[in-house]
């Protein structure tokens, strides 16, 4: 994680834990035999999923890794609940202070023993951006291209606007502010065109156009989300890229320059809730996610 981004990430997680809906504290009151969600406390995507599902009166069980790490939920009980659930959605990404690597490995093992799990697989290469670029390039594609990519020293990039991809997560940065970024720096050409975010969930694509004038809307805000249509060839490519990364659920960032789609990255644990535009009654990401966790075709 780069020095430039770490402070912002820590602050964002702190604010999320203060402002987002918290999981029910009374574990006994949670629905039994329901789809199961595991996340860190304050995870905004888990909170949004829980809120949208329970507002419809549907059963859902949500617990945090902190509850297990702090002994409030015995590991043996967690194992029983996971085994009894029709599906498990694990929002991976907790840090050492949220339970440590050993507990993370145990929870992952419990989930992997379940036949219906949605999580970021170890096969995904997004944790290492140079590897990720190479892995995506190796997947046979119909229409999707990758941006021109260069791995070099940060000094060679001074004065240029680049997309730093040498560590996760990656953001668009000014080349003059790279003093805290570890070398080498993997940069990609700045592409101008329509920005799309496409979520792929078990072979179905949900496309959103991100309308913004910001260089990086994730840092600067000011983006409008609109439903978008993509053609069959592009959808097939995105499904193939998701499968190649070992994922059932991905969030893919794209730039359309003219008619040429460029894939920026395949996110293995997407924070999808801000892009889920369809009402619950229609085919939305939340609807499909809940149905798949409930084993509904």
């Amino acid at each position: 994680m780069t020095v430039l981004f770490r402070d912002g990430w820590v602050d964002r997680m702190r604010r999320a834990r203060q402002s987002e809906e918290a999981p029910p504290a009374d574990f006994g009151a949670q629905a039994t035999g329901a789809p199961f969600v595991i996340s860190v406390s304050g995870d905004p995507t888990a909170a949004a999923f829980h809120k949208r599902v329970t507002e419809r009166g549907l059963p859902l069980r949500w617990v945090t890794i902190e509850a297990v790490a702090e002994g409030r939920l015995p590991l043996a009980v967690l194992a029983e609940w996971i085994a009894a659930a029709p599906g498990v959605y694990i929002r991976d990404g907790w840090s050492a202070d949220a339970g440590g690597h050993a507990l993370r490995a145990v929870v992952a093992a419990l989930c992997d023993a379940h036949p219906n799990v949605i999580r970021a697989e170890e096969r995904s290469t997004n944790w290492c951006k140079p590897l990720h670029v190479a892995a995506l390039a190796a997947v046979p594609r119909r229409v999707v291209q990758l941006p021109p990519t260069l791995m070099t020293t940060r000094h060679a990039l001074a004065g240029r606007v680049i997309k730093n991809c040498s560590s996760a997560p990656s953001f668009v940065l000014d080349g003059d502010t790279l003093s805290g970024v570890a070398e080498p720096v993997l940069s990609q050409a700045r592409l101008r065109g329509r920005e799309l975010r496409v979520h792929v969930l078990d072979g179905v694509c949900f496309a959103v156009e991100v309308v913004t004038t910001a260089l990086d809307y994730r840092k600067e805000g000011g983006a409008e989300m609109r439903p978008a249509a993509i053609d069959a060839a592009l959808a097939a490519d995105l499904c193939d890229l998701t499968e190649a990364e070992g994922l059932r659920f991905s969030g893919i960032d794209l730039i359309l320059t003219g008619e040429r789609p460029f894939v920026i990255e395949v996110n293995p644990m997407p924070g999808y809730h801000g892009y889920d535009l369809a009402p619950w009654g229609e085919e939305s990401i939340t609807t499909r996610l809940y149905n798949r966790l409930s084993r509904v075709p």
Side-chain angles (χ1 to χ4, degrees):
M1 186 174 290
T2 69
V3 174
L4 287 172
F5 184 64
R6 181 172 179 79
D7 291 342
W9 172 257
V10 172
D11 181 63
R12 189 175 82 173
M13 290 306 295
R14 177 185 58 78
R15 286 186 286 106
R17 293 185 182 208
Q18 293 174 348
S19 62
E20 296 292 343
E21 173 189 14
D26 182 2
F27 298 122
Q30 294 199 45
T32 59
F36 198 95
V37 180
I38 305 174
S39 75
V40 293
S41 177
D43 182 282
T45 301
F49 180 64
H50 179 265
K51 180 178 181 180
R52 293 170 189 176
V53 168
T54 54
E55 282 180 346
R56 299 288 297 183
L58 297 171
L60 182 68
R61 173 169 271 166
W62 176 26
V63 301
T64 66
I65 194 66
E66 289 94 338
V68 184
E70 295 165 6
R72 291 182 284 117
L73 179 64
L75 192 58
V77 175
L78 175 68
E80 292 178 3
W81 286 1
I82 290 175
V88 182
Y89 180 28
I90 177 169
R91 290 280 307 164
D92 204 348
W94 52 78
S95 59
D97 62 356
H101 298 294
L103 180 56
R104 177 179 179 176
V106 169
V107 173
L110 291 174
C111 292
D112 285 347
H114 197 286
N116 185 23
V117 176
I118 296 177
R119 79 176 187 95
E121 298 288 346
E122 276 73 17
R123 193 165 123 202
S124 171
T125 60
N126 190 272
W127 62 274
C128 176
K129 300 304 181 181
L131 176 62
H132 191 53
V133 171
L136 297 183
V139 179
R141 290 161 280 120
R142 299 160 185 82
V143 294
V144 160
Q145 302 180 52
L146 269 69
T149 301
L150 173 68
M151 188 155 59
T152 184
T153 68
R154 59 176 179 265
H155 302 292
L157 297 169
R160 299 172 58 189
V161 174
I162 65 146
K163 182 175 187 291
N164 172 49
C165 300
S166 59
S167 59
S170 59
F171 281 89
V172 177
L173 303 171
D174 187 320
D176 290 328
T177 63
L178 288 173
S179 60
V181 176
E183 294 181 312
V185 175
L186 188 144
S187 64
Q188 294 179 327
R190 183 183 178 189
L191 302 173
R192 299 180 185 275
R194 296 172 60 206
E195 293 194 41
L196 295 184
R197 175 66 173 248
V198 180
H199 289 86
V200 179
L201 176 52
D202 283 345
V204 174
C205 293
F206 298 85
V208 171
E209 181 175 1
V210 182
V211 183
T212 180
T213 58
L215 182 62
D216 191 329
Y217 70 90
R218 295 171 299 174
K219 289 181 68 176
E220 302 172 39
E224 178 186 352
M225 308 296 176
R226 300 175 182 173
I230 58 174
D231 61 33
L234 177 54
D237 275 353
L238 301 184
C239 290
D240 288 348
L241 290 173
T242 299
E243 183 178 358
E245 287 286 291
L247 303 170
R248 293 178 59 187
F249 187 24
S250 71
I252 304 179
D253 295 313
L254 296 153
I255 301 289
L256 270 59
T257 61
E259 297 302 317
R260 295 192 300 170
F262 287 86
V263 62
I264 307 302
E265 63 179 333
V266 178
N267 298 285
M269 185 49 60
Y272 81 87
H273 58 287
Y275 304 90
D276 197 13
L277 304 183
W280 175 270
E282 300 178 15
E283 177 72 339
S284 64
I285 302 174
T286 297
T287 306
R288 184 165 182 81
L289 181 57
Y290 184 82
N291 287 342
R292 299 304 288 175
L293 291 171
S294 303
R295 295 185 177 174
V296 177

